Amino acid sequence: MDLPKKLRELVEEKSKSLPEDLRDKFVEKVREEYERRLVEAGEPVGLVAAQSISEPTTQLVLKSFHYVGMREFQVALGLPRLLEITDARKRIKEKYMKIHLLDEYKNNREIAEKVARKIVETRVEDIMEKMEFDILDNSIAIYLDKKYLEKIGLTFEGVYNILKRRLKKFEVEKKGNKIIITAKNLKPKELYILKENIKKIQISGIRGIRQVHLQKEGEEWVIYTNGSNLREVMRIPEIDYRKVFTNDIHEIAKVLGIEAARRVILEEMIKIFETYGLRIDYRHFSIVADVLTWYGEFMGITRYGVIAEKASTLSRAAFEIPIKNFINSAMLGLEDDVSSVIDNLLVNQIIPLGTGVFEVYYKRREK
Amino acid sequence: MVTEVYIDSIFVGYVEDPKDFVNKFKEIRAKGQLPKFANIYFNEEKNIIEINLRKGRILRPLIVVKNGKPLLTQEHIEKLRKGEIKWSDLEKEGIIEWVDPAEEENLYVALYPEDLTEEHTHLELSPLTIFGILTSLVPYSNHNQSARLNRGMRTQKQAHSVYLTNFWQRFDTDISILYYPQEPIVRTFSHNLFRNADRIGQNVIIAVMTQEGYNMEDAIIINRGSIERGIFRSSYFRKYEVERIKYPGGLQDEITIPSQDVYLYKGADKYKYLEEDGIVHVEAYVDEYDVLVGKVSPPKFLSAFGEYTTAGTVKKDTSMLVRFEEKGYVDSVVITESPSGNMLIKIRLRDIRIPEIGDKFSVRHGQKGVVGMIVDESDMPWTASGLKPDIIFSPFGIPARLTIGLLLEILGGKVGALNGRFIDGTPWFGEKEEDLRKELLSLGFMESGEETMYNPLTGEEFKVKIYVGSVYYLRLKYMAENKLHARALGPVTLLTKQPTEGKSREGGLRWGEMENEVLAAHGASLLLREAFSSDDVIVPICENCGSIAVEDDIHHKIYCPVCGETDKIASIKTSYAFLLLVRELISLGIWPRFKVKYKFEK
């Protein structure tokens, strides 16, 4: 077997200082040692990974929340975050993004602020002072907060135009510092629903990003957001799209593909244990990351995720809800070839791992 | 604006001036015209007055303060001391008030007399009133962390002791009586009130040091010489009860030595300690499964089928046996009557318990540990005066737990033992550390309480001085002999054919899920199979249809319930638990079929 490229180069460089007759021997010795350290056939790498990760997990403090540099965000770290990843949860504790600017803008606070203002989602409910509700005229009056509008760089006219465009079915007119929306045919109950919907209308920014914080990291200004929308954020020209980070792995898998998601899973898991000063070989995490992503989408280790994809009925039944699994398999008339570890444990046969991988046959010598 | 008044949460009326009303209420109560446990509480936020009379409130006495001066004077205390007046007189005079948590909200209570100001309404009797009975028994507890105090309090309840002086007349289960109980040298004021707490341990000489690593992780090392002299020796008692039950139809149990033809006869050897009346004789040394009371029950009409098939109805031996892995002397036998009028035999077994490796010990500060090693007296380190400690205590237990009270108790115990007096270790008011140190110095010892010690293995002097002193140790009820258990073969449960669980059922030790993963991770698949083969069965399988074949032992044939008699029957080895699963699936209406392949076929 050949050595990996990096190791080969290192060996070549080191062997130069050796006398010539020893060089081949040296290379041979390194290869021998390397081969001995490789995982052998039948080595239960998954089990070793599970044990290597779960033992340090018992040392993690349960339910501890750390802050990612700012006090407004309560991002799950530690064990809760590990569970979010391995269960592939869609609703995570707090989504956040870390946005770097392009090299030419990154030290400029003004541009960073401008970008931050552009990113943050502003809804009608954020810019209005109050909302009036008139059942007699079937109309809704919105009073806008002009000071706040100025602060975030919007105009009364602009908001009016957006509302007019979004509410084409209804009459939209402006009167002094208020915008009046009249809906003639609506019943009071429907009007109430309309009012709630108008509150949610987006005026500017990127959908899903509710808060933005600027943070100076070294010389660079970095934007942290509360909420996540990877696809839209990457389109902003001032942003270095190669460095955008979000902790929503489902979104990464959707926008950047499953390989990117795998990479993020790996790095996030390493980060969890590093914050506690626990060092675990990355190969263990890479197996977990592979398991979570190898069906082509990000799937958790739950009965709806990876376990549901298992072919063996016994394996699925051993995990959770056995009766349902047995009945479903019986209806389909499924076969189980009893090939995995858990299946063989159930029927108390030799498990196909380690010494159970191979069988030895002795051919009797014929006389 | 009027204030609502409630008595025990029931509305009774209105008051115009609530503060005046409360004051008048208290005045009348002090005069004794209202019950002394009646409490009044003015809730200013809700503007209501609550008067509480009901049971179950926690009340505590406080000294009433008027104009910054407590009503209790030195005069009263002198009179109390002489016995001229009593506590109840103070209550009647309105000097002491009983206050509940609600009333306390309106009060301003001073902890010490020095802190009193004009605004204060009450004075605490003593800061010690925050302790419960057991917590107040811990000396120098004000120097400990509260969590340690909590634990130290709990260990006192688990100590071997003389819990009652008539223990030899009682039949209590799982009781240990300490042979040589001692009063603690370092005491608190509560020891004068609660005399039972004086009999829960022994004063031992301890050295705070490590020795050969046998006291790591909270373990302690005990001197064998001390054990031979009787330190922490105790008796363990267990009670057995047998009732002679009357059955419907005039039948009843018979207390006798069973004859050989009785069903479940246990062999003559097991009945050898029984006297003619079928009850074991006093001071007999019995071992596990020896018979204590021979009892024969009449055949039950609706009992198991097998009992009366072979030779008609047969009586059954239901003798009382000594429990599994227990032994001891028969201490006492009593024949009485049960509440239902049946004859009741109570037997008490006594067993001597000498401290051994694995027994649990503790001090009163929550520093508990098991015996890690029993060292010969010749191998114990000794001080310059030749003193050898009874117990070697690890110093690593102290920095994280911060039980400074223990260190002070060691110091106080040393002074008390040397001077032949008790040391008052009452929290806040006990003897001061500086005084103890000065006294120790005057006795010719180092002020710090440390002493020069010599290594028993080499005879050399230790480079460091060792902290030596006397401390009150407790032996806790958790003993290795009660816990030790192992088995090779033994009973199995009926349903799964797997070994039973628990010591009392002679159970096996569980090879759990995590243990199985360890073997799997090592690739030791054959060992793993063996570890799980406690319920292995050989199952005949029909090769045609794959269903479980029926083994008919009476006609010596195997047949398939579907295909009938056939030659194609394969035997597979699997766990009974899996077979059970398959049968339960069959009962669900699922027909699992096996596809059998011969192992050596290619």
Side-chain angles (χ1 to χ4, degrees):
Chain A
M1 187 190 249
D2 273 351
L3 292 175
K5 194 182 160 196
K6 206 174 174 183
L7 195 59
R8 203 167 55 221
E9 283 167 9
L10 193 73
V11 168
E12 272 166 19
E13 195 192 310
K14 295 275 175 186
S15 62
K16 274 175 196 163
S17 60
L18 287 171
E20 264 188 36
D21 52 328
L22 282 175
R23 274 182 202 170
D24 281 356
K25 258 189 178 175
F26 175 69
V27 173
E28 193 52 42
K29 186 80 189 160
V30 170
R31 179 171 296 140
E32 224 172 75
E33 290 288 318
Y34 175 77
E35 275 177 20
R36 209 162 52 173
R37 274 161 177 73
L38 286 176
V39 170
E40 283 174 32
E43 175 96 35
V45 282
L47 267 174
V48 173
Q51 287 178 2
S52 305
I53 294 170
S54 54
E55 198 280 330
T57 309
T58 59
Q59 298 171 33
L60 298 182
V61 187
L62 286 161
K63 294 226 168 200
S64 75
F65 290 100
H66 287 247
Y67 310 110
V68 190
M70 64 225 104
R71 59 178 185 276
E72 287 88 352
F73 289 178
Q74 283 235 317
V75 177
L77 271 182
L79 193 56
R81 177 67 183 147
L82 190 69
L83 286 177
E84 276 177 7
I85 296 171
T86 54
D87 288 356
R89 295 213 182 123
K90 290 232 163 82
R91 291 175 146 207
I92 62 175
K93 170 97 183 160
E94 190 94 53
K95 289 180 185 174
Y96 82 94
M97 290 182 87
K98 191 182 176 188
I99 301 162
H100 291 265
L101 299 179
L102 282 172
D103 284 353
E104 53 260 46
Y105 306 125
K106 70 180 183 187
N107 295 340
N108 192 335
R109 194 191 162 128
E110 275 170 29
I111 290 178
E113 271 179 357
K114 209 183 95 192
V115 173
R117 219 178 287 135
K118 206 154 75 181
I119 291 171
V120 69
E121 180 188 349
T122 311
R123 296 177 181 170
V124 172
E125 61 183 345
D126 298 327
I127 53 169
M128 72 186 189
E129 230 165 31
K130 59 177 177 180
M131 210 168 196
E132 269 174 9
F133 187 56
D134 195 341
I135 306 176
L136 290 174
D137 300 345
N138 256 11
S139 70
I140 297 163
I142 304 166
Y143 292 79
L144 293 179
D145 186 346
K146 281 198 174 164
K147 275 182 192 167
Y148 188 72
L149 278 180
E150 251 171 58
K151 200 177 147 197
I152 60 168
L154 285 173
T155 57
F156 183 83
E157 204 69 26
V159 176
Y160 169 71
N161 287 336
I162 290 167
L163 283 177
K164 201 168 184 180
R165 199 166 65 237
R166 291 291 300 272
L167 301 164
K168 275 178 188 160
K169 282 185 190 169
F170 313 107
E171 271 179 46
V172 181
E173 51 193 332
K174 51 180 177 176
K175 240 181 216 174
N177 65 339
K178 62 182 175 183
I179 298 170
I180 295 170
I181 299 149
T182 327
K184 283 271 152 54
N185 323 330
L186 288 189
K187 289 171 191 163
K189 199 178 171 186
E190 288 167 335
L191 197 69
Y192 187 79
I193 294 166
L194 177 70
K195 179 192 142 195
E196 290 303 307
N197 288 340
I198 288 171
K199 273 188 186 176
K200 295 274 176 315
I201 288 176
Q202 187 190 345
I203 302 294
S204 70
I206 292 169
R207 193 163 207 95
I209 293 173
R210 298 292 295 142
Q211 266 179 307
V212 179
H213 302 266
L214 276 180
Q215 188 132 348
K216 199 167 190 183
E217 291 183 355
E219 283 296 295
E220 191 182 348
W221 286 96
V222 182
I223 302 167
Y224 283 91
T225 68
N226 197 349
S228 167
N229 192 336
L230 191 60
R231 191 188 295 271
E232 294 300 319
V233 167
M234 281 172 80
R235 280 182 182 155
I236 295 172
E238 292 95 334
I239 277 169
D240 189 349
Y241 62 88
R242 291 164 300 181
K243 287 185 184 166
V244 178
F245 172 82
T246 172
N247 67 343
D248 186 353
I249 296 165
H250 281 286
E251 202 176 348
I252 293 173
K254 213 160 74 186
V255 178
L256 298 174
I258 198 69
E259 285 294 332
R262 182 192 171 275
R263 187 79 208 163
V264 172
I265 291 167
L266 192 61
E267 277 169 12
E268 282 276 282
M269 285 207 285
I270 291 170
K271 206 168 79 188
I272 289 164
F273 286 93
E274 257 177 10
T275 50
Y276 287 90
L278 302 165
R279 291 192 63 192
I280 301 168
D281 198 301
Y282 85 93
R283 290 168 186 87
H284 298 312
F285 293 121
S286 71
I287 283 179
V288 177
D290 282 343
V291 168
L292 290 171
T293 52
W294 79 354
Y295 289 102
E297 56 182 299
F298 180 38
M299 275 176 154
I301 307 173
T302 61
R303 60 170 183 254
Y304 308 108
V306 175
I307 304 294
E309 300 292 323
K310 280 191 179 181
S312 160
T313 308
L314 285 174
S315 301
R316 260 182 285 127
F319 187 76
E320 264 166 23
I321 43 168
I323 296 167
K324 201 176 153 192
N325 269 309
F326 278 126
I327 290 176
N328 285 345
S329 299
M331 284 195 294
L332 297 170
L334 291 185
E335 234 175 68
D336 190 330
D337 57 355
V338 196
S339 57
S340 80
V341 174
I342 190 76
D343 302 357
N344 277 290
L345 275 175
L346 264 171
V347 299
N348 202 16
Q349 298 290 334
I350 292 163
I351 56 167
L353 281 179
T355 50
V357 170
F358 53 88
E359 283 172 345
V360 179
Y361 294 98
Y362 170 69
K363 197 175 181 187
R364 196 163 43 175
R365 194 180 294 155
E366 289 186 16
K367 282 179 184 171
Chain B
M1 189 72 176
V2 287
T3 310
E4 294 168 2
V5 180
Y6 294 84
I7 293 179
D8 285 348
S9 310
I10 297 163
F11 175 71
V12 286
Y14 294 101
V15 179
E16 277 188 4
D17 188 353
K19 289 206 170 142
D20 184 52
F21 178 77
V22 171
N23 286 338
K24 273 183 183 160
F25 184 95
K26 285 183 182 172
E27 264 173 42
I28 296 168
R29 184 178 64 186
K31 280 178 196 159
Q33 290 166 0
L34 279 169
K36 63 183 176 184
F37 296 141
N39 288 109
I40 186 160
Y41 164 48
F42 174 42
N43 188 339
E44 270 181 75
E45 258 175 44
K46 292 182 186 167
N47 198 23
I48 54 171
I49 287 173
E50 288 175 22
I51 296 168
N52 286 314
L53 297 162
R54 58 165 95 79
K55 288 174 182 176
R57 291 167 297 132
I58 300 168
L59 295 160
R60 65 197 189 100
L62 289 174
I63 299 168
V64 180
V65 173
K66 284 244 164 82
N67 306 324
K69 292 242 165 65
L71 294 185
L72 187 77
T73 57
Q74 200 63 36
E75 211 176 303
H76 290 111
I77 294 168
E78 284 301 317
K79 275 186 182 170
L80 272 173
R81 199 165 278 154
K82 283 175 193 158
E84 288 170 11
I85 54 167
K86 278 189 270 178
W87 174 267
S88 54
D89 296 321
L90 295 178
E91 281 174 353
K92 274 175 203 158
E93 283 179 45
I95 296 169
I96 302 281
E97 267 184 356
W98 289 89
V99 171
D100 77 343
E103 183 168 331
E104 211 180 319
E105 292 285 305
N106 295 146
L107 308 181
Y108 188 31
V109 184
L111 196 56
Y112 295 104
E114 305 92 85
D115 302 341
L116 277 173
T117 62
E118 290 281 310
E119 290 165 33
H120 280 100
T121 59
H122 287 79
L123 174 64
E124 202 79 58
L125 289 177
S126 159
L128 295 171
T129 48
I130 67 163
F131 293 126
I133 292 172
L134 282 165
T135 325
S136 70
L137 292 168
V138 181
Y140 294 114
S141 53
N142 54 324
H143 294 269
N144 285 353
Q145 215 186 346
S146 68
R148 291 290 135 199
L149 213 55
N150 202 351
R151 272 165 237 203
M153 173 268 277
R154 242 173 265 159
T155 52
Q156 291 187 69
K157 294 191 267 187
Q158 302 168 355
H160 283 200
S161 60
V162 184
Y163 70 108
L164 282 172
T165 42
N166 68 340
F167 65 89
W168 46 274
Q169 286 185 325
R170 296 169 58 92
F171 283 78
D172 291 308
T173 308
D174 201 10
I175 288 299
S176 301
I177 300 293
L178 195 62
Y179 276 16
Y180 309 111
Q182 293 178 349
E183 288 188 29
I185 293 174
V186 185
R187 307 156 69 83
T188 68
F189 86 105
S190 304
H191 278 95
N192 302 327
L193 306 173
F194 313 113
R195 300 298 297 183
N196 275 9
D198 281 352
R199 306 190 286 252
I200 60 169
Q202 286 183 312
N203 292 296
V204 299
I205 306 294
I206 74 164
V208 183
M209 61 180 289
T210 56
Q211 171 80 340
E212 299 279 304
Y214 285 106
N215 59 353
M216 65 196 290
E217 292 287 330
D218 286 352
I220 57 169
I221 295 171
I222 294 198
N223 187 342
R224 176 164 281 129
S226 307
I227 290 177
E228 281 163 3
R229 275 176 237 120
I231 196 173
F232 290 120
R233 203 165 276 220
S234 60
S235 275
Y236 179 76
F237 293 97
R238 186 181 283 287
K239 171 189 72 173
Y240 290 84
E241 272 184 352
V242 184
E243 195 176 349
R244 193 175 68 184
I245 301 164
K246 291 190 185 99
Y247 297 99
L251 294 170
Q252 71 170 15
D253 290 340
E254 202 184 334
I255 306 286
T256 177
I257 301 174
S259 57
Q260 281 193 11
D261 54 347
V262 171
Y263 178 64
L264 290 177
Y265 183 72
K266 289 173 178 66
D269 187 43
K270 297 282 179 196
Y271 303 99
K272 64 186 170 191
Y273 298 113
L274 300 188
E275 288 180 345
E276 281 150 32
D277 58 355
I279 302 171
V280 71
H281 67 81
V282 177
E283 291 302 320
Y285 185 73
V286 287
D287 214 329
E288 60 173 356
Y289 293 147
D290 278 344
V291 175
L292 290 173
V293 178
K295 192 173 78 170
V296 177
S297 297
K300 284 181 207 159
F301 183 66
L302 289 170
S303 64
F305 177 71
E307 281 175 38
Y308 49 99
T309 46
T310 43
T313 53
V314 165
K315 287 179 177 177
K316 191 179 167 186
D317 183 353
T318 51
S319 301
M320 168 62 80
L321 311 177
V322 179
R323 287 166 67 125
F324 175 60
E325 282 178 349
E326 279 186 22
K327 57 187 189 328
Y329 292 92
V330 178
D331 193 53
S332 172
V333 177
V334 165
I335 301 172
T336 62
E337 218 170 58
S338 73
S340 51
N342 294 328
M343 178 185 176
L344 184 71
I345 302 157
K346 285 188 176 186
I347 293 174
R348 190 173 62 212
L349 244 57
R350 160 174 50 84
D351 194 12
I352 183 166
R353 290 293 164 88
I354 299 165
E356 57 176 335
I357 291 175
D359 285 0
K360 195 175 177 185
F361 286 80
S362 173
V363 290
R364 288 173 292 173
H365 304 269
Q367 290 275 13
K368 48 185 185 276
V370 294
V371 178
M373 190 55 154
I374 294 171
V375 177
D376 284 344
E377 191 157 17
S378 53
D379 291 339
M380 285 301 265
W382 62 87
T383 67
S385 57
L387 184 80
K388 287 180 175 174
D390 298 309
I391 285 176
I392 297 178
F393 175 82
S394 168
F396 295 102
I398 295 188
R401 282 160 223 180
L402 291 172
T403 50
I404 309 303
L406 172 64
L407 299 179
L408 288 173
E409 194 195 333
I410 294 173
L411 187 75
K414 191 171 185 176
V415 173
L418 288 167
N419 244 352
R421 67 183 182 89
F422 290 122
I423 304 289
D424 183 12
T426 308
W428 293 295
F429 305 108
E431 291 180 38
K432 295 274 175 298
E433 184 192 346
E434 300 85 64
D435 301 344
L436 291 173
R437 291 200 189 281
K438 271 178 203 155
E439 198 175 335
L440 196 61
L441 192 66
S442 71
L443 288 160
F445 283 83
M446 272 166 69
E447 204 180 11
S448 61
E450 291 169 337
E451 286 189 38
T452 308
M453 285 194 110
Y454 294 90
N455 189 336
L457 304 177
T458 62
E460 289 169 352
E461 190 184 319
F462 282 127
K463 280 179 187 163
V464 289
K465 303 282 183 256
I466 308 286
Y467 194 49
V468 181
S470 169
V471 73
Y472 196 60
Y473 245 90
L474 320 170
R475 186 183 183 193
L476 305 187
K477 66 180 181 184
Y478 306 103
M479 288 175 286
E481 201 178 329
N482 290 355
K483 308 267 181 193
L484 191 68
H485 167 65
R487 86 167 210 185
L489 297 176
V492 291
T493 51
L494 198 63
L495 181 69
T496 58
K497 292 199 181 175
Q498 284 172 355
T500 51
E501 200 181 337
K503 193 200 162 189
S504 57
R505 276 170 285 170
E506 213 179 319
L509 299 173
R510 188 183 190 85
W511 188 267
E513 210 172 336
M514 289 171 90
E515 287 78 12
N516 115 46
E517 271 169 21
V518 168
L519 282 194
H522 275 89
S525 53
L526 294 162
L527 177 60
L528 182 62
R529 205 203 96 82
E530 198 178 312
F532 278 110
S533 56
S534 63
D535 61 341
D536 264 0
V537 283
I538 290 173
V539 189
I541 300 286
C542 171
E543 281 179 51
N544 284 338
C545 64
S547 52
I548 300 169
V550 180
E551 227 170 331
D552 190 345
D553 272 354
I554 297 170
H555 301 104
H556 299 291
K557 60 179 181 184
I558 303 173
Y559 62 91
C560 172
V562 182
C563 318
E565 271 188 63
T566 166
D567 294 340
K568 284 199 159 183
I569 297 284
S571 291
I572 62 163
K573 197 177 178 187
T574 181
S575 63
Y576 185 78
F578 179 66
L579 192 63
L580 189 71
L581 172 73
V582 170
R583 284 179 180 156
E584 291 210 0
L585 288 179
I586 292 171
S587 76
L588 268 177
I590 297 168
W591 183 24
R593 276 163 290 177
F594 293 84
K595 279 187 180 167
V596 193
K597 202 178 105 189
Y598 278 92
K599 201 177 173 184
F600 301 109
E601 250 175 35
K602 274 191 180 172

